[in-house]
Amino acid sequence: MQRASHHELRSAFRALLASERCYHTASVFDPMSARIAADLDFEVGILGGSVASLQVLGAPDFALITLSEFVEQAARIGRVARLPVIADADHGYGNALNVMRTVVELERAGVAALTIEDTLLPAQFGRKSTDLISIEEGVGKILAALEARVDPELSIIARTHAGVLEVDEVIRRTRAYEAAGADGICLVGVRDFAHLEQIAAGLKVPLMLVTYGNPELRDNQRLARLGVRIVVNGHAAYFAAIKATYDCLREQRGAQPCDLNATELTHKYTMPEDYILWAKEFMEVRE
């Protein structure tokens, strides 16, 4: 496989953002998956925060993984990557100063881009797990991220949750992040094209959608016309690996066949009910 520097991979990612096409990410979670994605001619990969939590901790996506743990995994991928990789950097692992540290560490790890979201993470006492920080704090995080990067080709993408806000508030947030200098806007929870059209109107920066395979958003040409350049359908490759590992070990052990699918197996072995119980008992997190 052809080798490329981190700077070259970042430039390649910016070329994707500047294009008129819509690209779908490969879910990469270790060096081998990154090599496979590049060999299959994926244009871009993503290291998801939820996948990193599963891979490193065997824990559900409850903001338990630390910056150093996430960076270590990103660096393992960055050492071999032959395609640009986006890092899902959650909330930047803290306030705006923590965001600066996050950018420094992930840039050194070799990622081509990173997303910084405005979710209030980790979940706070007495609050909903989907609560967001203020627009002002979100803008501060984007400005801090831009200040911290050294390679100007590293893309800083602001992420917000369109599924938990009124559309007017989503528009206010996305436009504020664009004005702050974000290289792109990542949207989670977009319902359909009508919803997307409302949000995208007036935005000039490229868009990234986390759709998880939403059938209402499967028209690539229409997405491209609305400014969407990157689509994350989910992390099926990692869950397929969990299923394959279980089936292989079960067969080796001679255990009885199990009809649990990958999602059910993940649920079984990450034990999210324990974390939900602890959150209710010690934090009174409201849903």
Side-chain angles (χ1 to χ4, degrees):
M1 297 182 190
Q2 184 177 0
R3 302 181 68 180
S5 70
H6 294 154
H7 179 80
E8 289 170 330
L9 292 174
R10 290 168 187 149
S11 296
F13 180 76
R14 282 191 175 267
L16 300 184
L17 294 182
S19 73
E20 296 183 355
R21 287 184 54 193
C22 178
Y23 300 90
H24 291 254
T25 60
S27 178
V28 299
F29 44 87
D30 63 6
M32 186 67 77
S33 60
R35 283 177 169 158
I36 291 171
D39 188 53
L40 292 174
D41 293 327
F42 274 89
E43 294 87 359
V44 60
I46 185 167
L47 173 61
S50 59
V51 170
S53 185
L54 290 169
Q55 179 81 348
V56 176
L57 302 177
D61 187 21
F62 287 2
L64 299 171
I65 193 168
T66 64
L67 172 60
S68 59
E69 290 167 331
F70 185 77
V71 168
E72 286 173 1
Q73 196 67 8
R76 294 184 183 105
I77 294 170
R79 280 195 289 269
V80 304
R82 300 295 180 265
L83 80 169
V85 174
I86 305 165
D88 170 9
D90 285 342
H91 61 315
Y93 296 92
N95 60 27
L97 300 182
N98 298 113
V99 167
M100 297 183 78
R101 170 83 189 284
T102 296
V103 171
V104 169
E105 297 297 337
L106 285 174
E107 182 173 343
R108 289 176 177 172
V111 304
L114 56 92
T115 59
I116 300 291
E117 65 185 85
D118 55 9
T119 312
L120 183 62
L121 294 175
Q124 303 295 297
F125 185 90
R127 302 286 294 269
K128 291 182 179 179
S129 61
T130 54
D131 282 349
L132 306 184
I133 60 178
S134 68
I135 292 179
E136 293 77 14
E137 186 175 356
V139 166
K141 287 191 172 188
I142 298 305
L143 292 172
L146 295 169
E147 174 67 23
R149 74 178 171 191
V150 175
D151 185 348
E153 292 295 277
L154 176 70
S155 295
I156 305 296
I157 300 174
R159 170 172 160 165
T160 195
H161 201 312
V164 299
L165 298 170
E166 295 295 329
V167 68
D168 289 345
E169 176 67 8
V170 180
I171 291 170
R172 284 207 314 131
R173 284 177 180 264
T174 56
R175 291 185 179 180
Y177 301 153
E178 178 184 61
D183 298 303
I185 301 292
C186 177
L187 297 168
V188 182
V190 174
R191 296 186 297 273
D192 50 33
F193 277 105
H195 193 201
L196 177 60
E197 286 169 356
Q198 287 181 288
I199 299 168
L203 286 174
K204 297 181 176 60
V205 292
L207 301 178
M208 172 178 168
L209 291 189
V210 181
T211 69
Y212 297 112
N214 181 354
E216 299 297 322
L217 294 166
R218 283 187 177 166
D219 186 333
N220 275 0
Q221 292 184 344
R222 192 173 179 186
L223 288 172
R225 287 196 298 271
L226 289 171
V228 177
R229 298 293 172 260
I230 306 295
V231 173
V232 181
N233 291 316
H235 303 287
Y238 185 73
F239 292 104
I242 290 174
K243 175 64 172 171
T245 299
Y246 179 85
D247 287 343
C248 180
L249 293 177
R250 178 193 57 75
E251 184 176 350
Q252 288 181 19
R253 192 62 178 170
Q256 289 297 316
C258 172
D259 59 0
L260 294 180
N261 61 34
T263 300
E264 292 166 337
L265 285 169
T266 303
H267 188 92
K268 176 179 180 179
Y269 290 113
T270 58
M271 301 170 291
E273 292 88 354
D274 289 345
Y275 291 93
I276 292 169
L277 179 63
W278 293 330
K280 180 180 292 187
E281 183 174 357
F282 306 129
M283 299 168 55
E284 297 183 9
V285 171
R286 298 184 291 109
E287 296 296 341

